[in-house]
Amino acid sequence: MTMGSGENITSILHEDRKFPPTAEFTAQANISSEAQYQEMWQRAKDDPAGFWGELANANLDWFKPYDKVFEGVMPNTKWFTGGTLNAAYNCLDRHLTTWRKNKAAIIWEGEPGETRVLTYQDLHREVCKFANVLKQLGVQTGDRVTIYMPLVPELAIAMLACARIGAAHSIIFGGFSAEAVADRNNDAKARVVITADGGWRRGKEVPLKKAVDESLAKSPTVEKVVVLKRVGWPVSMVPDRDYWWHDLMQDASSDCDPVEVDSEHPLFILYTSGSTGKPKGVMHTTAGYLLGTMMTSKWVFDLKEEDTYWCTADIGWITGHSYVTYGPLLNGATVMMYEGAPNWPDEGRFWEIIEKYKVSIFYTAPTAIRAFMKWGDQWPNKFDLSSLRLLGSVGEPINPEAWMWYHRVIGLERCPIVDTWWQTETGAIMMSPLPGITPTKPGSCTRPLPGVVPDIVSKSGQSLPDNAGGLLVMRQSWPSMLRTLYGDHDRFLSTYFGEIEGLYFAGDGARRDTDGYYWIMGRVDDVLNVAGHRLSTMEVESALVSHPSVAEAAVVGFPHEIKGEGIACFVTLRTGDGNDSLKQTLIAHVRKTIGALATPDVIKFTAALPKTRSGKIMRRLLRDIAAGREQAGDTSTLEDLSVLAKLRESDE
Ligand code: 7RM
């Protein structure tokens, strides 16, 4: 532990447990020895052109070979220049000349319970047809297409159809509002919107087309709308603007040559929130992104032909782009997709799906894991989870408490857990255990993958020693790195490369331990400074959640007369409402777990925490409440606005 001197972040999470992979897992793993990892990592660092060039030749199908593996220095690196390829061809066509032709590409279950299986051949046919539909609607190579759909196979079909003709997709998660759709349509100058009448979520229809109609009043660039009939409720169709998916597909030809695009041709834009209200249009290009997602899927998830792989993320988030669609399909894997909520019709739904389809790889988020914990072991315990062989986590730091539960109750103490650190901007997983070799430590994303050269630096860019908390940066360019923020290259440069000269700054605080393992401490704006000690909010949260009565906790700082910042804790309980004596117990528990410097000043019990639709706690809003301020920032990404109102009421 290092004391914060003003430059560093004090790290106080102690976690000494270590879980090595089983010998059986190691014996069959894609990367199966420490020496192999060390060799790959060193080679990628010292000779990135040789390392990535060989992988690109062996793993991607090219129409024209590239001239150079990379050109330029970060942030202006271009990868595989001179080469041409097509993303849909690499995900689909190349499998059709192999036995995978009739392998299941997507196994889908709708929330109401129906099942569909699309083989690689089926998916290819649908993608070709829809690509022809897009062309018929006037979409050209280089255009942007907005996709705003439920988690149905047509979402993957639409994105791959865009890729097939070289149009960039901009997928907007179905939980976003009409306002958000309009903003994104306008920023991307989208010409076409693909949507559905609605989708199913917890037994209710989500009115997608209605939101699109509202958004179009403010989206002048959009000329055409394609509407998939999913829930079957009435929607208004504007003549010469709105078309039913099934009508357009009926006569579409299933012949569609993939468009040959340059390696650096835009593949997609994905909007993500930054520290200001205006979302950032993260832009990824073709070859580097494909190679990154393909290799990381193989290494981290240890993908095998026989696997049934399930990433529970919605395709509307980067995790769904990279690890529902592109990464697994590039590898010719079988992907499980489930449309709806984990607690519909009851809290056993996910475990029922795992049992029914014999899912072998399961990748989800800590926020979901904590919900499962809260719902209780009896739900997973009802089902046969023995098909599982690997578990993954992504999206936020996983507290050791949740990690241990995941390991014990879902992994039955035999599945490796890969805690994968990465971002919308990085395109692919950057740090993660390799499941066949890396002994895991609950709460750590462990070590960088080959090709990833992270460091921990102070605000002034000085490399910090082991165990010192600081800013997480990348020293070397990697193929799947974002290339720009759409329409705002200056913001791209200042956000990611303006903070620390010459380095990519991820926005996260982290430390590296003496084993070279990385511990993410959360966004740097989630860092507290209490009496000169910088504390990660996540570490206090972790301590709270390790108490048996706590289900979930969010910790923020607020202005404090003496200590600079005080610690406010918003806590949801497993059962009951909480009282003063429990408050005292929790304060003592945090003091005991971390130390007196982390003593909570305020504990507030709440039935729910304000979260974004992807499940990230919006600490910014909690900071306002803790400080007694009016809400200043943007709340458009909040899942449930009433949570805020309730938290404020409880102030009175
Ligand atoms: C994949 C994704 C990125 C931010 C990132 C971190 C946090 C993601 C982990 C994590 C600790 C992890 N993309 N984050 N994964 N923190 N451990 N394994 O979530 O663009 O939506 O978010 O999420 O703060 O900067 S994202």
Side-chain angles (χ1 to χ4, degrees):
M1 166 169 132
T2 307
M3 299 307 282
S5 62
E7 275 279 286
N8 307 352
I9 304 168
T10 305
S11 172
I12 30 86
L13 176 72
H14 291 282
E15 177 56 64
D16 300 321
R17 289 171 287 199
K18 246 188 181 181
F19 296 85
T22 62
E24 297 91 296
F25 196 98
T26 305
Q28 60 78 61
N30 290 342
I31 296 180
S32 59
S33 80
E34 175 67 16
Q36 189 186 353
Y37 162 70
Q38 293 294 342
E39 204 254 40
M40 287 168 79
W41 193 83
Q42 205 57 46
R43 168 101 197 276
K45 179 168 181 280
D46 299 340
D47 175 22
F51 178 80
W52 289 113
E54 282 168 24
L55 289 178
N57 294 336
N59 291 281
L60 294 177
D61 280 37
W62 299 85
F63 295 130
K64 182 166 161 281
Y66 56 84
D67 301 320
K68 280 206 170 148
V69 175
F70 68 89
E71 276 183 77
V73 291
M74 203 165 60
N76 297 309
T77 328
K78 293 191 166 98
W79 287 84
F80 307 111
T81 45
T84 65
L85 75 174
N86 181 280
Y89 182 93
N90 274 278
C91 289
L92 303 171
D93 303 49
R94 61 172 171 165
H95 303 312
L96 302 188
T97 53
T98 74
W99 67 272
R100 290 188 190 125
K101 177 172 79 169
N102 291 317
K103 176 177 178 176
I106 294 176
I107 301 176
W108 175 83
E109 187 169 292
E111 196 186 70
E114 67 274 56
T115 299
R116 282 166 64 193
V117 179
L118 283 91
T119 64
Y120 273 91
Q121 191 166 227
D122 293 333
L123 188 56
H124 176 264
R125 183 187 329 104
E126 297 303 307
V127 166
C128 287
K129 288 177 75 173
F130 198 68
N132 281 326
V133 164
L134 290 175
K135 285 197 271 188
Q136 186 198 323
L137 293 175
V139 179
Q140 293 174 359
T141 306
D143 285 347
R144 273 85 43 215
V145 173
T146 291
I147 302 178
Y148 181 63
M149 295 179 89
L151 192 48
V152 293
E154 283 80 2
L155 172 48
I157 292 167
M159 72 197 285
L160 290 167
C162 288
R164 195 165 190 86
I165 63 171
H169 50 75
S170 162
I171 305 183
I172 305 173
F173 173 59
F176 277 112
S177 64
E179 198 72 32
V181 176
D183 287 349
R184 287 155 176 75
N185 281 340
N186 292 337
D187 192 79
K189 300 181 195 66
R191 295 186 56 200
V192 167
V193 174
I194 305 163
T195 188
D197 52 353
W200 292 109
R201 187 81 191 170
R202 251 171 243 121
K204 293 207 178 72
E205 301 95 334
V206 182
L208 297 171
K209 174 63 163 68
K210 196 165 151 270
V212 167
D213 289 341
E214 268 174 65
S215 79
L216 289 197
K218 297 180 209 157
S219 313
T221 62
V222 176
E223 298 156 30
K224 305 285 182 196
V225 179
V226 183
V227 187
L228 177 79
K229 191 173 275 210
R230 164 68 188 125
V231 294
W233 71 358
V235 292
S236 67
M237 298 290 281
V238 176
D240 299 324
R241 189 196 74 181
D242 300 352
Y243 303 87
W244 286 108
W245 175 292
H246 57 265
D247 286 342
L248 296 172
M249 286 291 265
Q250 195 164 18
D251 303 319
S253 156
S254 55
D255 273 337
C256 178
D257 284 341
V259 170
E260 212 177 301
V261 300
D262 288 340
S263 293
E264 286 289 329
H265 186 75
L267 179 61
F268 65 85
I269 299 169
L270 181 58
Y271 287 88
T272 187
S273 41
S275 42
T276 69
K278 191 182 182 297
K280 305 181 285 195
V282 169
M283 198 186 86
H284 283 287
T285 57
T286 305
Y289 174 82
L290 294 180
L291 187 61
T293 56
M294 177 163 180
M295 298 323 300
T296 51
S297 297
K298 203 180 274 198
W299 295 335
V300 173
F301 300 118
D302 195 50
L303 267 183
K304 301 281 159 51
E305 292 293 358
E306 302 78 16
D307 278 311
T308 303
Y309 162 92
W310 185 18
C311 165
T312 66
D314 192 283
I315 292 179
W317 306 110
I318 190 67
T319 303
H321 282 59
S322 300
Y323 298 109
V324 176
T325 310
Y326 289 109
L329 295 181
L330 285 161
N331 282 289
T334 295
V335 175
M336 178 75 218
M337 260 170 87
Y338 165 61
E339 176 188 31
N343 53 351
W344 187 266
D346 62 36
E347 284 77 2
R349 187 65 181 269
F350 273 19
W351 321 121
E352 186 186 335
I353 289 173
I354 290 172
E355 178 184 277
K356 179 170 174 193
Y357 299 96
K358 305 279 179 282
V359 171
S360 55
I361 301 173
F362 180 67
Y363 187 35
T364 195
T367 185
I369 297 168
R370 289 191 296 264
F372 304 148
M373 281 175 76
K374 187 176 175 179
W375 296 335
D377 299 11
Q378 73 276 14
W379 291 105
N381 286 349
K382 270 197 233 176
F383 298 93
D384 177 8
L385 304 181
S386 63
S387 58
L388 289 172
R389 67 180 196 92
L390 185 145
L391 304 176
S393 171
V394 61
E396 56 179 310
I398 179 167
N399 46 296
E401 197 67 17
W403 196 102
M404 288 305 300
W405 183 88
Y406 200 27
H407 168 73
R408 186 171 51 80
V409 181
I410 307 305
L412 307 173
E413 296 182 3
R414 59 180 184 82
C415 297
I417 296 180
V418 291
D419 176 356
T420 62
W421 180 87
W422 60 295
Q423 308 177 291
T424 303
E425 292 87 343
T426 68
I429 296 168
M430 302 288 277
M431 297 200 274
S432 168
L434 291 167
I437 61 165
T438 314
T440 49
K441 301 184 191 182
S444 170
C445 60
T446 76
R447 300 180 296 185
L449 296 182
V452 176
V453 187
D455 199 4
I456 306 290
V457 301
S458 68
K459 272 199 224 158
S460 54
Q462 297 299 310
S463 202
L464 293 173
D466 287 348
N467 279 329
L471 307 178
L472 177 63
V473 295
M474 298 298 148
R475 294 200 167 274
Q476 200 166 291
S477 178
W478 64 98
S480 65
M481 184 180 101
L482 83 163
R483 297 300 192 268
T484 191
L485 293 176
Y486 187 76
D488 200 347
H489 198 66
D490 286 346
R491 189 176 177 197
F492 162 76
L493 294 175
S494 65
T495 305
Y496 305 107
F497 300 93
E499 207 74 26
I500 294 142
E501 185 69 32
L503 304 179
Y504 171 84
F505 171 50
D508 281 354
R511 78 181 159 98
R512 183 180 49 234
D513 70 17
T514 48
D515 289 335
Y517 280 35
Y518 285 78
W519 298 77
I520 306 296
M521 298 156 79
R523 306 292 301 185
V524 283
D525 40 18
D526 294 343
V527 168
L528 306 172
N529 191 327
V530 181
H533 304 287
R534 292 199 193 175
L535 296 174
S536 155
T537 55
M538 177 256 153
E539 293 176 300
V540 182
E541 287 163 14
S542 194
L544 285 165
V545 176
S546 73
H547 190 276
S549 53
V550 175
E552 193 160 38
V555 170
V556 297
F558 66 93
H560 187 284
E561 246 177 46
I562 296 162
K563 299 191 280 187
E565 248 183 332
I567 301 176
C569 310
F570 295 82
V571 172
T572 66
L573 296 175
R574 285 172 191 253
T575 49
D577 290 336
N579 52 38
D580 276 341
S581 110
L582 184 56
K583 270 188 198 176
Q584 294 314 316
T585 307
L586 293 180
I587 289 172
H589 180 72
V590 174
R591 283 177 70 106
K592 188 164 157 274
T593 316
I594 303 178
L597 80 167
T599 307
D601 296 280
V602 177
I603 291 196
K604 215 176 242 230
F605 296 113
T606 171
L609 293 168
K611 290 187 184 171
T612 64
R613 294 177 183 91
S614 67
K616 293 196 207 306
I617 295 169
M618 294 184 80
R619 290 187 181 70
R620 182 166 54 78
L621 305 180
L622 293 175
R623 273 195 293 274
D624 289 344
I625 291 172
R629 283 192 294 266
E630 277 306 299
Q631 221 71 64
D634 172 36
T635 54
S636 69
T637 55
L638 191 66
E639 154 108 328
D640 179 2
L641 271 168
S642 70
V643 168
L644 272 190
K646 281 187 205 129
L647 277 170
R648 287 188 178 288
E649 274 161 29
S650 70
D651 255 339
E652 262 89 79

PDB file of all heavy atoms in Angstrom, residues 601-612:
ATOM      1  N   ASP A 601     -18.724   8.371   6.303  1.00  0.00           N
ATOM      2  CA  ASP A 601     -19.332   9.468   7.039  1.00  0.00           C
ATOM      3  C   ASP A 601     -20.844   9.355   7.024  1.00  0.00           C
ATOM      4  O   ASP A 601     -21.510   9.714   7.977  1.00  0.00           O
ATOM      5  CB  ASP A 601     -18.925  10.798   6.393  1.00  0.00           C
ATOM      6  CG  ASP A 601     -17.437  11.002   6.495  1.00  0.00           C
ATOM      7  OD1 ASP A 601     -16.962  11.415   7.557  1.00  0.00           O
ATOM      8  OD2 ASP A 601     -16.732  10.684   5.508  1.00  0.00           O
ATOM      9  N   VAL A 602     -21.372   8.907   5.908  1.00  0.00           N
ATOM     10  CA  VAL A 602     -22.821   8.814   5.745  1.00  0.00           C
ATOM     11  C   VAL A 602     -23.153   7.462   5.149  1.00  0.00           C
ATOM     12  O   VAL A 602     -22.491   7.025   4.194  1.00  0.00           O
ATOM     13  CB  VAL A 602     -23.332   9.907   4.768  1.00  0.00           C
ATOM     14  CG1 VAL A 602     -24.826   9.763   4.538  1.00  0.00           C
ATOM     15  CG2 VAL A 602     -22.996  11.292   5.282  1.00  0.00           C
ATOM     16  N   ILE A 603     -24.152   6.800   5.704  1.00  0.00           N
ATOM     17  CA  ILE A 603     -24.663   5.585   5.063  1.00  0.00           C
ATOM     18  C   ILE A 603     -26.141   5.787   4.832  1.00  0.00           C
ATOM     19  O   ILE A 603     -26.885   6.179   5.739  1.00  0.00           O
ATOM     20  CB  ILE A 603     -24.404   4.333   5.927  1.00  0.00           C
ATOM     21  CG1 ILE A 603     -22.901   4.057   5.936  1.00  0.00           C
ATOM     22  CG2 ILE A 603     -25.172   3.131   5.385  1.00  0.00           C
ATOM     23  CD1 ILE A 603     -22.493   2.693   6.410  1.00  0.00           C
ATOM     24  N   LYS A 604     -26.532   5.583   3.598  1.00  0.00           N
ATOM     25  CA  LYS A 604     -27.929   5.768   3.245  1.00  0.00           C
ATOM     26  C   LYS A 604     -28.453   4.457   2.676  1.00  0.00           C
ATOM     27  O   LYS A 604     -27.869   3.934   1.713  1.00  0.00           O
ATOM     28  CB  LYS A 604     -27.981   6.856   2.169  1.00  0.00           C
ATOM     29  CG  LYS A 604     -29.197   7.744   2.249  1.00  0.00           C
ATOM     30  CD  LYS A 604     -29.084   8.826   1.202  1.00  0.00           C
ATOM     31  CE  LYS A 604     -29.050  10.182   1.882  1.00  0.00           C
ATOM     32  NZ  LYS A 604     -29.988  11.131   1.327  1.00  0.00           N
ATOM     33  N   PHE A 605     -29.509   3.930   3.268  1.00  0.00           N
ATOM     34  CA  PHE A 605     -30.103   2.703   2.719  1.00  0.00           C
ATOM     35  C   PHE A 605     -31.087   3.071   1.622  1.00  0.00           C
ATOM     36  O   PHE A 605     -31.824   4.047   1.737  1.00  0.00           O
ATOM     37  CB  PHE A 605     -30.813   1.912   3.824  1.00  0.00           C
ATOM     38  CG  PHE A 605     -29.873   1.413   4.881  1.00  0.00           C
ATOM     39  CD1 PHE A 605     -29.928   1.902   6.179  1.00  0.00           C
ATOM     40  CD2 PHE A 605     -28.901   0.463   4.566  1.00  0.00           C
ATOM     41  CE1 PHE A 605     -29.048   1.457   7.160  1.00  0.00           C
ATOM     42  CE2 PHE A 605     -28.016   0.009   5.537  1.00  0.00           C
ATOM     43  CZ  PHE A 605     -28.085   0.514   6.834  1.00  0.00           C
ATOM     44  N   THR A 606     -31.067   2.312   0.563  1.00  0.00           N
ATOM     45  CA  THR A 606     -31.951   2.606  -0.565  1.00  0.00           C
ATOM     46  C   THR A 606     -32.386   1.288  -1.214  1.00  0.00           C
ATOM     47  O   THR A 606     -31.651   0.299  -1.179  1.00  0.00           O
ATOM     48  CB  THR A 606     -31.235   3.517  -1.599  1.00  0.00           C
ATOM     49  OG1 THR A 606     -32.034   3.610  -2.779  1.00  0.00           O
ATOM     50  CG2 THR A 606     -29.871   2.967  -1.988  1.00  0.00           C
ATOM     51  N   ALA A 607     -33.589   1.309  -1.806  1.00  0.00           N
ATOM     52  CA  ALA A 607     -34.091   0.077  -2.435  1.00  0.00           C
ATOM     53  C   ALA A 607     -33.379  -0.188  -3.760  1.00  0.00           C
ATOM     54  O   ALA A 607     -33.278  -1.323  -4.209  1.00  0.00           O
ATOM     55  CB  ALA A 607     -35.592   0.186  -2.658  1.00  0.00           C
ATOM     56  N   ALA A 608     -32.886   0.884  -4.408  1.00  0.00           N
ATOM     57  CA  ALA A 608     -32.226   0.706  -5.712  1.00  0.00           C
ATOM     58  C   ALA A 608     -31.217   1.813  -5.921  1.00  0.00           C
ATOM     59  O   ALA A 608     -31.316   2.881  -5.320  1.00  0.00           O
ATOM     60  CB  ALA A 608     -33.269   0.748  -6.827  1.00  0.00           C
ATOM     61  N   LEU A 609     -30.233   1.558  -6.779  1.00  0.00           N
ATOM     62  CA  LEU A 609     -29.219   2.557  -7.104  1.00  0.00           C
ATOM     63  C   LEU A 609     -29.465   3.068  -8.517  1.00  0.00           C
ATOM     64  O   LEU A 609     -29.931   2.322  -9.373  1.00  0.00           O
ATOM     65  CB  LEU A 609     -27.831   1.917  -7.019  1.00  0.00           C
ATOM     66  CG  LEU A 609     -27.394   1.500  -5.608  1.00  0.00           C
ATOM     67  CD1 LEU A 609     -26.157   0.612  -5.666  1.00  0.00           C
ATOM     68  CD2 LEU A 609     -27.129   2.728  -4.751  1.00  0.00           C
ATOM     69  N   PRO A 610     -29.153   4.350  -8.768  1.00  0.00           N
ATOM     70  CA  PRO A 610     -29.342   4.853 -10.135  1.00  0.00           C
ATOM     71  C   PRO A 610     -28.298   4.254 -11.066  1.00  0.00           C
ATOM     72  O   PRO A 610     -27.104   4.365 -10.802  1.00  0.00           O
ATOM     73  CB  PRO A 610     -29.150   6.369  -9.985  1.00  0.00           C
ATOM     74  CG  PRO A 610     -28.315   6.537  -8.760  1.00  0.00           C
ATOM     75  CD  PRO A 610     -28.595   5.364  -7.862  1.00  0.00           C
ATOM     76  N   LYS A 611     -28.762   3.631 -12.148  1.00  0.00           N
ATOM     77  CA  LYS A 611     -27.837   2.949 -13.057  1.00  0.00           C
ATOM     78  C   LYS A 611     -28.109   3.334 -14.491  1.00  0.00           C
ATOM     79  O   LYS A 611     -29.237   3.646 -14.850  1.00  0.00           O
ATOM     80  CB  LYS A 611     -28.022   1.435 -12.940  1.00  0.00           C
ATOM     81  CG  LYS A 611     -27.540   0.895 -11.622  1.00  0.00           C
ATOM     82  CD  LYS A 611     -27.588  -0.604 -11.616  1.00  0.00           C
ATOM     83  CE  LYS A 611     -27.191  -1.081 -10.243  1.00  0.00           C
ATOM     84  NZ  LYS A 611     -27.420  -2.507 -10.099  1.00  0.00           N
ATOM     85  N   THR A 612     -27.060   3.242 -15.301  1.00  0.00           N
ATOM     86  CA  THR A 612     -27.258   3.388 -16.735  1.00  0.00           C
ATOM     87  C   THR A 612     -27.911   2.107 -17.233  1.00  0.00           C
ATOM     88  O   THR A 612     -27.963   1.113 -16.520  1.00  0.00           O
ATOM     89  CB  THR A 612     -25.929   3.545 -17.483  1.00  0.00           C
ATOM     90  OG1 THR A 612     -25.194   2.332 -17.310  1.00  0.00           O
ATOM     91  CG2 THR A 612     -25.121   4.716 -16.960  1.00  0.00           C
TER      92      THR A 612
END
